[in-house]
Amino acid sequence: MVERRRFLAGVASLVGPAAIAASAPNLVAAGPAPQSPNAHSSLSLETSNGWYIQNGKAIWGYARESQMWGGYRGQPTGWWTDCALGPSIIRNAQGQVGPNRTEDLEKLMDTMVAYGCPGYEHNPPLWYDRRRDAHDVQRRSNANVVGPFFEMPWGRSNQGQAWDGLPLFDLAKFNPWYFSRVRQFADLCDRKGGILVFGFYNQHNLLETQAHYADYPWRPANCIQATDLPDKTPAANVFYDVSHPVRKELHRQYIRHSLDNLRENRNVVLLTGLEYTGPLAFMQFWLETILEWEQQSARKVHIGLGATKDVLDAVLQDPRYGPHIRTIDLRYWHYKSDDSIYAPPGGQQVPGRFVYRQSNELTPLQLYRQVKEYRQLYPEKAIIHGINVDQQQTMAFLMAGGTMLVRPLDSVREYPTQYEMPLGCESILTAYEFTRAHLAADLPRMRPLDAVAHGNGVWCLGEPGNIYLIYMLTGVPFRLDLSNAAGSFDAKWIGLKLGKIFDAFDGTIEGGKVHELRGLDWRQWMLYLRNRA
């Protein structure tokens, strides 16, 4: 915290004390001004140059993953401790409110916005009953369920007995508590400058181990509808096959209900769901359903596209769908060390987590290449990714024009009693606080620039002639071309490791020429230039 205060003092000296208010923990008033619930009913989340914006300012940073199962069994020890868990806005710990129980949504949002993770990715959970945390597959003989519960989007009938011992699901009914919690959180995102990435499905249920599928609401043993899904995994391709009239209508009803629930919310990005590696046909059906809803409701929503590379490219290049996509999710393919591409095709029932977990090994150079390629192809679409990143990868993502990184962020302590900065945020905090305090209004005009040369791992993000942000992985020499940028520039060093801001080159760099530069030492540095004109 000492280094953080020192960094904020540097920001204050650069832009004035008022500008850093948005970076202070729990200073909610520093975010976008509250609006009436219906003030933006005809709007959806905006982008400019691929950045999410609200009230003219960019929202950039991490997005927290949602917890999809309990993970902890018994106290004080168990499989996982509470500090290894993430938040879930639909976790229901009756009578217990706080971290990793029934989340205090407002405190959760305040902490996220304060510490570098203004986004949150929500997806349905694996199961409702914590007894299934054991990852067994046996049928329960009774309804003596164990909480905290992970609520499902679908409601229960008053018929029969599902695999978890409770009544069978009715897939044509929806759980009001689940959708109310999602809407409450979306309202907070609108008011406080957060982003809800809303996933309709969780493919994790449909592949891999049978334990993930045993209690799944769409499994024939668990619902009153004739879904005709297989009794055992893999079940993904059947689930996505909408030539089946019952499944098609159930999907359609669920998608439309989810859209109705969020129709008054602005800061929402829609994705098909977590780990989606399904076929092109289902993605097209999902998009058609949303577009039909938009037309009938006279309401635009922010549609994201997360899929394998072949499905991703096919949709983006299709004139029927490509113009409607506003966020691209690059999790499901990546460059390998030999510069080849790892990109399994869609519809092959490949578990999505095994695809994107390999991306955790992406070097900053590979990540920069991947993101920049799609930023250049689709300059107005936002780009998200899912990697458990370090600071260098975080900065490579930003400099390539990446909009938001989805990642797990653990709690700091065992059995947390209050909301505090999660582990992992230290990788983004310096860049996040500087960006939020000083670049939020400028970032919507900035894009990756080819203004640097002869520097491996030196990248530039900027607005030509006005603002340049140069990031150096190490202190290698490089050439900065300002020959077409007239005037004088204020120059500041930003030390990502040191958390300090101070004058570079006596505070001035002249435009109109090419400069031979290098970082101050072997560590990471950012050089920030702003035209005085």
Side-chain angles (χ1 to χ4, degrees), residues 408-475:
L409 295 165
D410 294 339
S411 301
V412 176
R413 65 188 72 196
E414 305 272 350
Y415 310 108
T417 58
Q418 62 184 1
Y419 291 93
E420 53 198 343
M421 187 178 86
L423 291 175
C425 286
E426 64 277 1
S427 294
I428 198 174
L429 197 57
T430 298
Y432 175 75
E433 289 179 328
F434 179 79
T435 299
R436 196 165 178 231
H438 193 52
L439 286 182
D442 297 322
L443 204 57
R445 302 189 307 276
M446 297 170 69
R447 55 186 172 81
L449 301 178
D450 295 325
V452 294
H454 307 304
N456 192 27
V458 182
W459 303 305
C460 182
L461 188 72
E463 179 188 13
N466 187 25
I467 301 169
Y468 298 87
L469 185 67
I470 298 98
Y471 168 73
M472 292 146 266
L473 273 171
T474 60

Side-chain angles (χ1 to χ4, degrees), residues 166-407:
L166 294 171
L168 293 167
F169 283 93
D170 182 347
L171 302 177
K173 291 172 57 178
F174 303 104
N175 180 345
W177 193 88
Y178 177 101
F179 284 98
S180 174
R181 291 284 288 180
V182 170
R183 188 172 60 253
Q184 289 174 45
F185 193 78
D187 288 343
L188 289 168
C189 288
D190 288 352
R191 289 198 293 114
K192 301 193 175 191
I195 302 289
L196 171 62
V197 181
F198 179 82
F200 288 77
Y201 302 100
N202 186 346
Q203 187 178 272
H204 205 96
N205 293 102
L206 302 167
L207 299 175
E208 308 171 54
T209 173
Q210 181 68 10
H212 297 160
Y213 186 57
D215 294 339
Y216 188 57
W218 287 60
R219 184 185 174 214
N222 295 322
C223 61
I224 64 173
Q225 281 83 9
T227 63
D228 292 338
L229 263 67
D231 188 57
K232 295 184 178 180
T233 57
N237 278 355
V238 180
F239 180 79
Y240 296 134
D241 181 4
V242 290
S243 65
H244 187 284
V246 173
R247 289 198 299 269
K248 181 177 182 179
E249 183 57 25
L250 290 173
H251 281 303
R252 182 178 177 276
Q253 290 177 12
Y254 170 60
I255 294 168
R256 290 181 66 93
H257 184 80
S258 299
L259 295 169
D260 286 339
N261 186 59
L262 294 169
R263 66 178 299 133
E264 299 299 326
N265 294 105
R266 173 194 180 99
N267 288 12
V268 178
V269 176
L270 303 176
L271 287 178
T272 309
L274 184 66
E275 302 179 6
Y276 182 77
T277 59
L280 175 61
F282 185 80
M283 181 64 75
Q284 291 169 330
F285 163 78
W286 179 74
L287 290 167
E288 290 284 0
T289 305
I290 294 174
L291 296 177
E292 176 190 62
W293 179 90
E294 282 189 332
Q295 185 175 24
Q296 293 174 354
S297 64
R299 171 75 166 88
K300 291 291 184 182
V301 293
H302 188 110
I303 304 174
L305 177 66
T308 55
K309 192 175 189 302
D310 60 329
V311 172
L312 191 82
D313 290 341
V315 171
L316 290 171
Q317 294 164 18
D318 190 328
R320 296 173 298 172
Y321 306 119
H324 299 283
I325 302 302
R326 300 173 66 189
T327 286
I328 302 170
D329 182 355
L330 294 180
R331 264 178 275 195
Y332 304 104
W333 71 274
H334 59 84
Y335 283 105
K336 298 165 67 175
S337 58
D338 62 0
D339 288 335
S340 64
I341 294 177
Y342 176 68
Q348 302 302 306
Q349 301 196 116
V350 177
R353 67 165 169 165
F354 296 136
V355 179
Y356 70 71
R357 280 186 177 177
Q358 291 188 37
S359 353
N360 290 336
E361 301 176 5
L362 279 174
T363 67
L365 295 170
Q366 291 168 333
L367 178 59
Y368 180 85
R369 175 186 177 186
Q370 181 190 22
V371 174
K372 187 179 178 183
E373 283 180 1
Y374 273 75
R375 166 61 57 243
Q376 291 178 327
L377 284 171
Y378 305 101
E380 285 303 316
K381 300 184 191 300
I383 293 179
I384 64 175
H385 213 312
I387 307 179
N388 194 13
V389 292
D390 60 18
Q391 191 173 60
Q392 290 185 336
Q393 291 167 313
T394 299
M395 294 307 301
F397 182 75
L398 169 64
M399 301 306 291
T403 314
M404 189 160 278
L405 273 166
V406 183
R407 60 164 302 180

